[in-house]
């Protein structure tokens, strides 16, 4: 699930395949450390993934996107995360599919342009949980999903 989430961050399947193949080519017949693999993936992705690795490899916590919808405003932040975690995540800001937001541990706000705000969703290709603070229920209770994230089958 972590690798699939990183694939979404890279947002380029050809590049992602190149990173995975490059791991084999670069480290063939070597004993390598986890930090070498993490640094390689971050470098080749062109994104600092250190906090993503810290979150998914060094804690048991699944990042939780807390959000609240008030009229046409979406307020959001990460909870259950390592300090400094600011991973992007896809959400439905419009009726046309998912847009990328970059939550932090601090509350942020953006415009929501959904015809029906109750259709707000978090992209299931990210391994995260979502909690709707407007209803007081986890978003999973509203969507019928146990947990957002992981590869689609």
């Amino acid at each position: 699930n972590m690798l699939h989430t990183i694939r979404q961050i890279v947002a380029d399947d050809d590049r992602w395949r190149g990173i995975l193949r490059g791991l084999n080519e670069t480290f063939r017949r070597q004993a390598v450390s986890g930090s070498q693999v993490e640094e390689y993936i971050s470098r080749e992705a062109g994104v600092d993934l250190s906090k993503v690795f810290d979150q998914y490899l060094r804690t048991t916590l699944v990042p939780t996107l807390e959000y609240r919808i008030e009229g046409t405003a979406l307020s959001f932040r990460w909870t259950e995360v390592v300090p400094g975690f600011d991973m992007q995540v896809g959400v439905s800001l419009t009726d046309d599919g998912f847009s990328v937001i970059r939550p932090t541990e601090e509350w942020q706000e953006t415009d929501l342009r959904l015809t029906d705000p109750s259709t707000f969703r978090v992209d299931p290709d990210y391994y995260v949980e979502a909690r709707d603070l407007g209803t007081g229920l986890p978003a999973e209770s509203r969507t019928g999903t146990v947990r957002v994230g992981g590869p689609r089958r």
Side-chain angles (χ1 to χ4, degrees):
N1 287 335
M2 176 193 71
L3 290 177
H4 190 69
T5 296
I6 294 172
R7 176 183 174 199
Q8 304 315 303
I9 294 168
V10 171
D12 178 334
D13 283 344
D14 290 335
R15 185 176 203 171
W16 179 242
R17 271 191 298 281
I19 291 169
L20 295 178
R21 289 180 179 142
L23 279 167
N24 185 40
E25 294 168 13
T26 302
F27 298 113
R28 181 175 303 197
R29 297 183 188 90
Q30 295 179 44
V32 297
S33 68
S35 63
Q36 286 177 287
V37 172
E38 292 170 31
E39 289 167 9
Y40 175 86
I41 293 173
S42 286
R43 183 177 62 252
E44 295 301 311
V47 177
D48 179 4
L49 297 168
S50 59
K51 295 297 182 181
V52 174
F53 288 120
D54 285 347
Q55 179 69 36
Y56 288 103
L57 297 178
R58 295 176 188 91
T59 76
T60 58
L61 301 173
V62 176
T64 299
L65 180 69
E66 288 187 338
Y67 68 92
R68 182 175 38 250
I69 297 171
E70 295 173 344
T72 60
L74 171 69
S75 300
F76 57 90
R77 71 174 179 183
W78 284 125
T79 61
E80 307 295 329
V81 293
V82 297
F85 185 80
D86 66 349
M87 181 183 81
Q88 71 181 42
V89 66
V91 297
S92 57
L93 295 176
T94 69
D95 295 328
D96 298 327
F98 294 111
S99 302
V100 173
I101 59 172
R102 186 175 283 281
T104 64
E105 295 170 88
E106 301 299 320
W107 282 103
Q108 298 176 57
E109 189 172 292
T110 192
D111 291 334
L112 189 65
R113 296 175 300 280
L114 289 169
T115 305
D116 178 1
S118 72
T119 63
F120 175 81
R121 298 289 179 264
V122 176
D123 186 340
D125 283 330
Y126 289 84
Y127 183 53
V128 301
E129 292 185 345
R131 184 176 302 127
D132 181 351
L133 298 181
T135 63
L137 298 173
E140 298 80 30
S141 298
R142 190 167 44 84
T143 64
T145 310
V146 174
R147 174 173 285 162
V148 176
R152 292 183 183 154
R153 299 192 193 279

